[in-house]
Coordinates of all heavy atoms in Angstrom, one line a residue:
I138 N 149.2 104.1 82.5 CA 148.4 105.0 81.6 C 147.5 106.0 82.7 O 146.6 105.5 83.2 CB 147.5 104.4 80.7 CG1 148.3 103.5 79.7 CG2 146.9 105.5 79.8 CD1 149.5 104.2 79.0
G139 N 148.0 107.2 82.8 CA 147.2 108.1 83.4 C 146.2 108.9 82.6 O 145.6 108.4 81.8
S140 N 146.0 110.2 83.0 CA 145.2 111.0 82.2 C 145.3 112.5 82.6 O 145.9 112.8 83.6 CB 143.6 110.6 82.5 OG 142.9 111.7 82.0
T141 N 145.0 113.4 81.6 CA 145.2 114.8 82.0 C 144.3 115.1 83.1 O 144.6 116.1 83.9 CB 144.7 115.7 80.7 OG1 144.9 117.1 81.0 CG2 143.2 115.5 80.3
Y142 N 143.2 114.3 83.3 CA 142.2 114.5 84.4 C 142.8 114.1 85.6 O 142.3 114.3 86.7 CB 140.9 113.9 84.1 CG 140.0 114.8 83.2 CD1 139.0 114.2 82.6 CD2 140.3 116.2 83.0 CE1 138.1 115.0 81.7 CE2 139.5 116.9 82.3 CZ 138.4 116.2 81.6 OH 137.6 117.0 80.8
G143 N 143.9 113.4 85.7 CA 144.6 113.0 86.8 C 145.5 114.1 87.4 O 146.1 114.1 88.4
V144 N 145.7 115.2 86.6 CA 146.6 116.3 86.9 C 145.8 117.6 87.1 O 146.0 118.3 88.0 CB 147.6 116.5 85.8 CG1 148.5 117.7 86.1 CG2 148.5 115.3 85.5
S145 N 144.8 117.7 86.3 CA 143.8 118.9 86.4 C 142.5 118.4 86.5 O 142.0 117.6 85.8 CB 144.1 119.7 85.1 OG 145.3 120.3 84.8
A146 N 141.6 119.1 87.3 CA 140.3 118.7 87.5 C 139.5 119.1 86.3 O 139.8 120.0 85.5 CB 139.7 119.5 88.7
P147 N 138.4 118.2 86.0 CA 137.6 118.5 84.7 C 136.9 119.8 84.8 O 136.5 120.2 85.9 CB 136.7 117.3 84.8 CG 137.2 116.3 85.6 CD 138.1 117.0 86.7
N148 N 136.8 120.4 83.6 CA 136.1 121.7 83.6 C 134.7 121.3 83.1 O 134.5 121.0 81.9 CB 136.8 122.6 82.6 CG 136.2 124.0 82.3 OD1 135.0 124.2 82.8 ND2 136.8 124.9 81.9
Q149 N 133.9 121.4 84.0 CA 132.5 121.0 83.8 C 131.8 121.8 82.7 O 130.9 121.3 82.0 CB 131.7 121.0 85.1 CG 132.2 120.1 86.2 CD 132.1 118.6 85.9 OE1 131.5 118.2 84.9 NE2 132.8 117.9 86.7
N150 N 132.3 123.0 82.5 CA 131.7 123.8 81.4 C 131.9 123.2 79.9 O 131.0 123.5 79.0 CB 132.4 125.3 81.2 CG 132.0 126.1 82.6 OD1 130.8 125.8 83.2 ND2 132.8 126.9 83.0
L151 N 132.9 122.3 79.9 CA 133.1 121.6 78.5 C 131.9 120.8 78.2 O 131.7 120.4 77.0 CB 134.4 120.8 78.7 CG 135.6 121.5 78.5 CD1 136.8 120.5 78.9 CD2 135.8 122.0 77.1
Y152 N 131.1 120.3 79.1 CA 130.1 119.4 78.9 C 128.7 120.1 78.8 O 127.6 119.3 78.7 CB 130.1 118.3 80.0 CG 131.4 117.7 80.2 CD1 132.4 118.0 80.9 CD2 131.6 116.6 79.2 CE1 133.6 117.4 81.0 CE2 133.0 115.9 79.3 CZ 133.8 116.3 80.2 OH 135.1 115.6 80.3
R153 N 128.8 121.3 78.6 CA 127.4 121.9 78.3 C 127.1 121.9 76.8 O 128.0 121.8 75.9 CB 127.5 123.5 78.7 CG 127.6 123.7 80.2 CD 127.7 125.2 80.5 NE 127.6 125.4 81.9 CZ 127.9 126.6 82.6 NH1 128.1 127.7 81.7 NH2 127.8 126.7 83.8
Q154 N 125.8 122.1 76.5 CA 125.3 122.1 75.2 C 125.4 123.4 74.5 O 125.7 124.3 75.2 CB 123.8 121.5 75.2 CG 123.7 120.1 75.7 CD 124.4 119.1 75.1 OE1 124.5 119.0 73.8 NE2 125.0 118.2 75.8
V155 N 125.2 123.4 73.3 CA 125.2 124.7 72.6 C 124.3 125.7 73.1 O 124.6 126.9 73.3 CB 125.0 124.6 71.1 CG1 124.9 126.0 70.3 CG2 125.9 123.7 70.4
D156 N 123.2 125.4 73.6 CA 122.1 126.2 74.3 C 122.4 126.5 75.7 O 121.6 127.2 76.3 CB 120.7 125.6 74.1 CG 120.5 124.3 74.9 OD1 121.5 123.9 75.4 OD2 119.4 123.8 74.8
G157 N 123.5 126.0 76.2 CA 124.0 126.3 77.6 C 123.4 125.4 78.7 O 123.9 125.4 79.9
S158 N 122.5 124.4 78.1 CA 122.1 123.4 79.1 C 123.2 122.3 79.3 O 124.0 122.2 78.6 CB 120.8 122.6 78.5 OG 121.1 122.0 77.4
Q159 N 123.0 121.5 80.4 CA 124.1 120.5 80.7 C 123.4 119.2 81.0 O 122.7 119.1 82.0 CB 124.9 121.0 81.9 CG 126.2 120.2 82.2 CD 127.3 120.8 82.7 OE1 127.3 122.1 82.8 NE2 128.4 120.2 83.0
S160 N 123.5 118.2 80.2 CA 123.0 116.9 80.5 C 123.9 115.9 81.0 O 123.5 114.8 81.1 CB 122.4 116.4 79.1 OG 123.3 116.3 78.2
F161 N 125.2 116.3 81.2 CA 126.3 115.3 81.7 C 127.2 116.1 82.4 O 127.7 117.2 82.1 CB 126.8 114.6 80.5 CG 127.9 113.7 81.0 CD1 127.8 112.5 81.6 CD2 129.3 114.1 80.8 CE1 128.8 111.8 82.0 CE2 130.3 113.3 81.2 CZ 130.1 112.1 81.7
F162 N 127.7 115.7 83.5 CA 128.8 116.1 84.3 C 129.9 115.1 84.4 O 129.6 113.9 84.5 CB 128.3 116.4 85.7 CG 127.4 117.6 85.9 CD1 126.1 117.4 85.6 CD2 127.8 118.9 86.1 CE1 125.1 118.4 85.8 CE2 126.9 119.9 86.1 CZ 125.5 119.6 86.1
K163 N 131.2 115.5 84.2 CA 132.3 114.5 84.4 C 132.2 114.1 85.9 O 132.6 114.7 86.8 CB 133.5 115.2 83.9 CG 134.7 114.1 83.9 CD 134.5 113.1 82.8 CE 135.6 112.1 82.6 NZ 135.4 111.2 81.6
P164 N 132.1 112.9 86.1 CA 131.9 112.3 87.6 C 133.4 112.3 88.2 O 134.4 112.4 87.5 CB 131.3 111.0 87.4 CG 130.7 111.0 86.0 CD 131.6 111.7 85.1
P165 N 133.4 112.0 89.5 CA 134.7 112.2 90.2 C 135.5 111.0 90.2 O 136.8 111.1 90.3 CB 134.1 112.3 91.7 CG 132.9 111.6 91.7 CD 132.3 111.9 90.4
A166 N 135.0 109.8 89.8 CA 135.8 108.5 89.9 C 137.0 108.5 89.1 O 138.1 108.1 89.4 CB 134.9 107.3 89.8
Y167 N 136.8 108.9 87.8 CA 137.9 108.6 86.9 C 139.0 109.6 87.1 O 140.2 109.1 87.2 CB 137.4 109.0 85.4 CG 138.4 108.7 84.3 CD1 138.6 107.4 83.9 CD2 139.1 109.8 83.6 CE1 139.6 107.2 82.9 CE2 140.0 109.6 82.7 CZ 140.2 108.2 82.3 OH 141.1 107.9 81.3
P168 N 138.8 110.9 87.3 CA 140.0 111.8 87.7 C 140.6 111.4 89.0 O 142.0 111.5 89.2 CB 139.4 113.3 87.7 CG 138.0 113.1 87.8 CD 137.6 111.8 87.2
V169 N 139.9 111.1 90.0 CA 140.5 110.7 91.3 C 141.3 109.4 91.0 O 142.5 109.4 91.7 CB 139.4 110.5 92.3 CG1 139.9 109.8 93.6 CG2 138.8 111.8 92.7
T170 N 141.0 108.4 90.5 CA 141.6 107.2 90.3 C 142.9 107.4 89.4 O 144.0 106.9 89.7 CB 140.8 106.0 89.6 OG1 140.3 106.4 88.4 CG2 139.8 105.5 90.6
K171 N 142.8 108.2 88.3 CA 144.0 108.5 87.5 C 145.0 109.3 88.3 O 146.2 109.2 88.1 CB 143.5 109.3 86.3 CG 142.9 108.5 85.3 CD 143.7 107.1 84.9 CE 143.0 106.3 83.8 NZ 143.8 105.1 83.4
A172 N 144.5 110.2 89.3 CA 145.5 110.9 90.1 C 146.2 109.9 90.9 O 147.5 110.1 91.3 CB 144.8 112.0 90.9
G173 N 145.5 108.9 91.4 CA 146.2 107.8 92.3 C 147.1 107.1 91.5 O 148.1 106.7 92.0
V174 N 146.9 106.9 90.2 CA 147.8 106.0 89.3 C 149.1 106.8 89.2 O 150.2 106.2 89.3 CB 147.1 105.8 88.0 CG1 148.2 105.4 87.0 CG2 146.0 104.8 88.1
I175 N 149.0 108.1 89.0 CA 150.2 109.0 89.0 C 151.1 108.8 90.2 O 152.3 108.7 90.1 CB 149.7 110.4 88.7 CG1 149.1 110.4 87.2 CG2 151.0 111.3 88.7 CD1 148.6 111.8 86.9
M176 N 150.5 109.0 91.5 CA 151.2 108.9 92.6 C 151.8 107.6 92.8 O 152.8 107.4 93.4 CB 150.4 109.4 93.7 CG 151.1 109.4 95.1 SD 152.7 110.2 95.1 CE 152.2 111.9 94.9
F177 N 150.9 106.5 92.4 CA 151.4 105.1 92.6 C 152.6 104.9 91.8 O 153.5 104.1 92.2 CB 150.3 104.2 92.2 CG 150.6 102.8 92.4 CD1 150.9 102.2 93.6 CD2 150.6 101.9 91.3 CE1 151.3 100.9 93.7 CE2 150.9 100.6 91.4 CZ 151.2 99.9 92.7
S178 N 152.7 105.5 90.6 CA 153.9 105.4 89.6 C 155.1 106.0 90.4 O 156.1 105.3 90.3 CB 153.6 106.1 88.2 OG 152.5 105.4 87.7
K179 N 154.9 107.1 91.0 CA 156.0 107.7 91.7 C 156.5 106.7 92.8 O 157.7 106.6 93.1 CB 155.6 109.0 92.2 CG 155.3 110.0 91.1 CD 154.9 111.4 91.7 CE 154.6 112.5 90.6 NZ 154.1 113.8 91.1
F180 N 155.6 106.3 93.6 CA 155.9 105.3 94.7 C 156.8 104.1 94.1 O 157.9 103.8 94.6 CB 154.7 104.8 95.4 CG 155.0 103.6 96.2 CD1 155.4 103.9 97.6 CD2 154.8 102.3 95.8 CE1 155.7 102.8 98.4 CE2 155.1 101.2 96.7 CZ 155.5 101.5 98.0
L181 N 156.3 103.5 93.1 CA 157.0 102.4 92.5 C 158.4 102.7 91.9 O 159.2 101.9 92.0 CB 156.1 101.6 91.5 CG 154.9 100.8 91.9 CD1 154.2 100.1 90.6 CD2 155.4 99.7 92.8
A182 N 158.4 103.9 91.3 CA 159.7 104.3 90.6 C 160.7 104.4 91.8 O 161.9 104.0 91.5 CB 159.5 105.6 89.9
A183 N 160.4 105.0 92.9 CA 161.3 105.1 94.1 C 161.5 103.7 94.7 O 162.7 103.5 95.1 CB 160.7 106.1 95.1
Y184 N 160.5 103.0 94.8 CA 160.8 101.8 95.5 C 161.5 100.7 94.7 O 162.3 100.0 95.2 CB 159.3 101.1 95.7 CG 159.3 99.9 96.6 CD1 159.4 99.9 98.0 CD2 159.1 98.6 96.0 CE1 159.4 98.8 98.7 CE2 159.1 97.5 96.8 CZ 159.3 97.5 98.1 OH 159.3 96.3 98.9
W185 N 161.3 100.6 93.5 CA 162.0 99.6 92.6 C 163.2 100.1 91.7 O 163.7 99.4 91.0 CB 160.9 98.9 91.8 CG 160.4 97.7 92.3 CD1 160.9 96.9 93.4 CD2 159.1 97.2 91.9 NE1 159.9 96.1 93.7 CE2 158.8 96.0 92.9 CE3 158.1 97.4 91.1 CZ2 157.7 95.3 92.8 CZ3 157.1 96.7 90.9 CH2 156.8 95.6 91.8
G186 N 163.5 101.4 91.9 CA 164.5 102.1 91.2 C 165.8 101.3 91.1 O 166.6 101.3 90.2
N187 N 166.2 100.7 92.5 CA 167.5 100.1 92.6 C 167.3 98.6 92.2 O 168.2 97.8 92.4 CB 167.9 100.2 94.0 CG 167.0 99.6 95.1 OD1 165.9 99.1 94.6 ND2 167.4 99.4 96.3
K188 N 166.2 98.2 91.6 CA 166.1 96.8 91.2 C 166.2 96.7 89.7 O 165.9 95.6 89.1 CB 164.7 96.3 91.7 CG 164.5 96.4 93.2 CD 165.4 95.4 93.8 CE 165.0 95.4 95.4 NZ 165.9 94.6 96.2
G189 N 166.5 97.7 89.0 CA 166.5 97.8 87.5 C 165.2 97.9 86.9 O 165.1 97.5 85.7
I190 N 164.2 98.3 87.6 CA 162.9 98.5 87.0 C 162.5 100.0 86.9 O 162.6 100.7 87.9 CB 161.8 97.8 88.0 CG1 162.1 96.3 88.1 CG2 160.4 97.9 87.3 CD1 161.3 95.5 88.9
R191 N 162.2 100.4 85.7 CA 161.7 101.8 85.5 C 160.2 101.9 85.5 O 159.5 100.9 84.9 CB 162.2 102.2 84.1 CG 163.7 102.5 84.1 CD 164.2 103.0 82.7 NE 164.1 102.0 81.7 CZ 163.3 102.1 80.8 NH1 162.3 103.0 80.7 NH2 163.2 101.2 79.7
V192 N 159.7 102.8 86.1 CA 158.2 103.1 86.2 C 157.9 104.5 85.8 O 158.5 105.5 86.3 CB 157.6 102.9 87.6 CG1 156.1 102.9 87.7 CG2 158.2 101.5 88.1
N193 N 157.0 104.7 84.8 CA 156.6 106.0 84.3 C 155.2 106.1 84.0 O 154.6 104.9 84.0 CB 157.3 106.2 82.9 CG 158.8 106.4 83.0 OD1 159.2 107.5 83.4 ND2 159.6 105.5 82.7
T194 N 154.7 107.2 83.9 CA 153.2 107.4 83.6 C 153.2 108.2 82.4 O 153.8 109.2 82.1 CB 152.5 108.3 84.8 OG1 152.7 107.6 86.0 CG2 151.1 108.4 84.5
L195 N 152.2 107.7 81.5 CA 151.9 108.5 80.3 C 150.4 108.9 80.4 O 149.4 108.2 80.7 CB 151.9 107.6 79.0 CG 151.6 108.1 77.8 CD1 152.9 109.1 77.3 CD2 151.5 107.1 76.7
S196 N 150.3 110.3 80.3 CA 148.9 110.7 80.7 C 148.4 111.6 79.4 O 148.7 112.7 79.2 CB 149.1 111.9 81.9 OG 149.3 111.3 83.0
P197 N 147.5 110.9 78.7 CA 147.0 111.5 77.4 C 146.0 112.6 77.8 O 145.4 112.6 78.7 CB 146.4 110.3 76.6 CG 146.9 109.1 77.3 CD 147.2 109.4 78.8
G198 N 145.9 113.4 76.8 CA 144.7 114.5 76.8 C 143.5 113.9 76.2 O 143.4 112.6 76.0
G199 N 142.5 114.7 75.9 CA 141.3 114.3 75.4 C 141.5 113.7 74.1 O 142.2 114.3 73.2
V200 N 140.9 112.6 73.7 CA 140.9 111.8 72.5 C 139.7 112.0 71.7 O 138.6 111.8 72.2 CB 141.2 110.3 72.8 CG1 141.2 109.6 71.5 CG2 142.5 110.2 73.6
E201 N 139.7 112.3 70.4 CA 138.6 112.3 69.6 C 137.9 111.0 69.4 O 138.6 110.0 69.1 CB 139.0 113.0 68.2 CG 139.3 114.3 68.0 CD 139.6 114.8 66.7 OE1 139.0 114.1 65.7 OE2 140.3 115.8 66.5
N202 N 136.7 111.0 69.8 CA 136.1 109.7 69.6 C 134.5 109.8 69.4 O 133.7 109.4 70.2 CB 136.2 109.0 70.9 CG 135.6 107.5 71.0 OD1 135.5 106.9 69.9 ND2 135.2 107.0 72.1

Side-chain angles (χ1 to χ4, degrees):
I138 305 300
S140 168
T141 185
Y142 280 162
V144 179
S145 300
N148 183 340
Q149 300 295 347
N150 291 332
L151 284 171
Y152 300 94
R153 290 181 177 174
Q154 305 298 318
V155 178
D156 62 4
S158 63
Q159 189 149 355
S160 59
F161 174 80
F162 295 84
K163 188 66 178 179
Y167 187 78
V169 169
T170 54
K171 288 303 184 179
V174 166
I175 292 171
M176 180 50 68
F177 182 60
S178 300
K179 295 179 180 180
F180 168 84
L181 284 183
Y184 185 79
W185 274 335
N187 63 350
K188 303 293 187 182
I190 300 172
R191 294 184 287 107
V192 185
N193 289 283
T194 305
L195 183 66
S196 295
V200 180
E201 287 189 25
N202 185 31

